[in-house]
Amino acid sequence: MAIRLRLFAKYAALIVALVGGALVASGAISLYFAYGESRQALLALQREKADAAAYRIEQYVRGLEHEIGWTALPRVQEGSSASEQRRIEFLKLLRQAPQITEAVWIDRHGDEQVRVSRLAMDALAASTNLKSDPRVVGSQDGRTYFGPVTFRKDTEPYMAIARAAGGQDGGTTAVEVNLKFVWDVVSQLRVGKAGIAYVVDADGHWVAHPDISLVLQKLDFARQPQMIAARAARAAGADVGTGIGPEAPGLRQLEVRTRDGKDVLVAYAGIP
């Protein structure tokens, strides 16, 4: 009888162990797949928000490009010079587009003829020759020039936009655009409780971040994995928006560690 009880206890323990092990394994597998599905869903949401933010910023810049388009063909009125007429058009432009802080007309010889600014004195017929200026060179042959991001007095980000000026005198129309709007875009984006969005320029410097102090510090972000991946995609001739991550080709996502040692998921999209 004692032998039977011992055998029963042994087999019962074995059965419990097997059943318990199977349940634990099944639970672990279910948790693993649930985690994977949750992670993929979160990444999909992040990519969607990154794409939406990139599109909104691009449309913002394209809208400004359109705004300066109508100043390229000023209406010539009898008794007024071309410079005076363009100055009037620039004043209208600054009134209609508050984000544009300065407008310049450079004639076909490369000489600055009109400058209207919110931050400096207006000028007519300046002696400055800008024939080799990137804005002039980059807007030739009907192209629109989009300059690099710069920081005026190390505070707010700006970008130059230039396009060929029409009319009898031709030349180039160039404007300086305040990119503070980009801060408004990223500050409104949230993913979960702690997710944030930020924008960096081609050199890896922050242009917009919910913590503006990081932007003003001019921190170099170029060595971060997400920037390296985005640059690698661009160097390979692919659109940054279809960059590669360590998980699989074509996925615009990375798992990286932040400065404070936290593991985070990152999705990115390019702004053409």
Side-chain angles (χ1 to χ4, degrees):
M1 189 68 176
I3 295 175
R4 290 182 178 180
L5 290 175
R6 286 198 298 268
L7 288 175
F8 176 77
K10 184 184 297 185
Y11 284 119
L14 179 61
I15 292 172
V16 170
L18 289 175
V19 173
L23 291 175
V24 170
S26 176
I29 293 173
S30 298
L31 286 175
Y32 173 79
F33 283 108
Y35 167 76
E37 292 176 358
S38 177
R39 186 173 182 272
Q40 291 302 318
L42 179 59
L43 283 169
L45 176 61
Q46 288 189 200
R47 289 196 297 271
E48 180 182 345
K49 287 183 175 291
D51 287 336
Y55 177 79
R56 184 178 176 187
I57 293 170
E58 182 187 4
Q59 292 305 304
Y60 166 75
V61 177
R62 292 294 183 184
L64 294 176
E65 177 189 7
H66 179 72
E67 284 283 350
I68 68 175
W70 58 265
T71 67
L73 291 169
R75 293 170 295 176
V76 178
Q77 297 181 357
E78 186 177 354
S80 62
S81 64
S83 295
E84 180 60 25
Q85 190 58 43
R86 290 189 186 273
R87 189 184 75 85
I88 295 174
E89 296 295 334
F90 286 167
L91 290 173
K92 294 179 182 178
L93 175 64
L94 265 61
R95 187 181 307 115
Q96 294 185 9
Q99 57 271 49
I100 295 178
T101 59
E102 186 173 274
V104 180
W105 174 47
I106 304 166
D107 66 20
R108 62 178 182 272
H109 302 295
D111 295 323
E112 180 187 312
Q113 296 295 339
V114 180
R115 177 183 296 270
V116 176
S117 175
R118 303 181 192 275
L119 306 175
M121 296 291 292
D122 295 349
L124 293 176
S127 59
T128 307
N129 186 275
L130 303 173
K131 188 175 183 179
S132 300
D133 191 286
R135 296 172 297 177
V136 176
V137 176
S139 59
Q140 295 176 352
D141 303 324
R143 296 171 296 172
T144 299
Y145 170 78
F146 298 98
V149 177
T150 59
F151 289 82
R152 186 185 294 269
K153 297 182 179 179
D154 292 331
T155 54
E156 296 180 349
Y158 282 78
M159 183 179 71
I161 302 177
R163 58 184 300 175
Q168 184 177 0
D169 301 293
T172 301
T173 298
V175 301
E176 288 289 329
V177 178
N178 189 325
L179 296 179
K180 188 177 180 180
F181 168 82
V182 179
W183 292 348
D184 298 332
V185 173
V186 300
S187 63
Q188 294 171 7
L189 287 179
R190 287 290 183 272
V191 181
K193 295 182 179 180
I196 62 171
Y198 52 85
V199 178
V200 293
D201 65 12
D203 295 325
H205 294 102
W206 266 314
V207 176
H209 191 284
D211 184 355
I212 192 174
S213 65
L214 297 177
V215 178
L216 299 181
Q217 291 176 37
K218 300 285 188 67
L219 296 177
D220 187 359
F221 208 64
R223 296 184 180 180
Q224 294 298 310
Q226 55 267 50
M227 278 298 298
I228 294 175
R231 284 181 164 179
R234 175 171 292 176
D239 182 1
V240 177
T242 57
I244 56 175
E247 301 185 356
L251 294 181
R252 293 164 291 156
Q253 58 197 43
L254 295 166
E255 187 168 353
V256 300
R257 179 159 292 182
T258 59
R259 299 172 188 270
D260 55 1
K262 295 180 180 178
D263 292 325
V264 298
L265 296 176
V266 178
Y268 63 90
I271 307 174

